[in-house]
Structure formats: structure tokens, C-alpha cells
Amino acid sequence: QVRLVESGGGLVQAGGSLRLSCAASGRTFLYAMGWFRQAPGKEREFVAAISWSGGSTYFADSVKGRFTISRDDANNIMYLQMNSLKPEDTAVYYCAATTGYTSSWYGVSSAEYRYWGRGTQVTVSS
């Protein structure tokens, strides 16, 4: 069982940056991890994912070039660095984890993840 807790959300002006953290209660080694977000009135959508090795990452087109994902397995933390934020990035951001099939595998749909955090709010003002 892995418990995930997100932090780092807040209110930022457009063009600004935030770094989200996802702290895991157990070891994250061998877990692929990802970030998803859900805006009011919209379905949860994929943002970014990272394989358990950290060697493979993938981003939604809407955040590619602005967001980076990384992990620190020694401290069981995953990060989402968000730069050049836009008002359309406003959402509750969730981290997720699941057993990775291979060292390069990551999931891009919410159905592929077993463990979820409760989310952290990110609000970008124009």
C-alpha cells in the first residue's frame, strides 16, 4: 500500500512558476508515477508521467516544453516543475502511482494507476 500526499499548489500569476511535490509513504522504487489534473466541470486529464527508472517521461501536448517531471526515490518524492503557467492550467493536480511493468513503462490514463493522492489546488490568474 502506498499513500500519496501532494503539496506545493497555490495562486500564481500567468507566466509564473510552481513546483508540486508528491510524497509517498512507502518506497516508490519500481512504481511508475504520474500527474493528472481536473478543472471545474471537466474530466480528469493526464499531465505527465515518469517510469520507475526515471529514464522515460511523457507529457500532455498542452504542457510540453513548460512542465518537467522528476523523482527522488531516495526520499520517495516526485516533482512537477511548472513554468510559464497559463490560466488554463488552473485545476486540482493529483499524483498517482502504480507498479511499473518495465523500467521504461509509464501510464497515460487514470485507469492505469492504482494509488492516488487527494490533490492540490493550482490557480493561475490572468
Side-chain angles (χ1 to χ4, degrees), residues 10-91:
L11 173 64
V12 64
Q13 288 188 331
S17 299
L18 282 174
R19 187 177 78 160
L20 304 184
S21 299
C22 173
S25 60
R27 290 290 305 276
T28 53
F29 184 58
L30 298 181
Y31 280 87
M33 302 185 75
W35 288 96
F36 291 76
R37 66 187 182 186
Q38 187 167 18
K42 295 187 177 181
E43 293 190 353
R44 188 172 298 187
E45 65 174 3
F46 169 79
V47 176
I50 187 167
S51 62
W52 67 252
S53 70
S56 297
T57 59
Y58 187 73
F59 298 88
D61 287 343
S62 58
V63 305
K64 201 170 294 182
R66 300 188 297 122
F67 291 10
T68 58
I69 188 171
S70 61
R71 59 191 298 159
D72 176 1
D73 289 324
N75 293 295
N76 301 321
I77 300 177
M78 176 180 63
Y79 300 101
L80 184 69
Q81 178 67 45
M82 306 185 296
N83 299 326
S84 303
L85 283 162
K86 305 175 181 180
E88 50 264 44
D89 294 318
T90 294

Side-chain angles (χ1 to χ4, degrees), residues 53 103 105:
S53 70
S103 63
W105 181 88

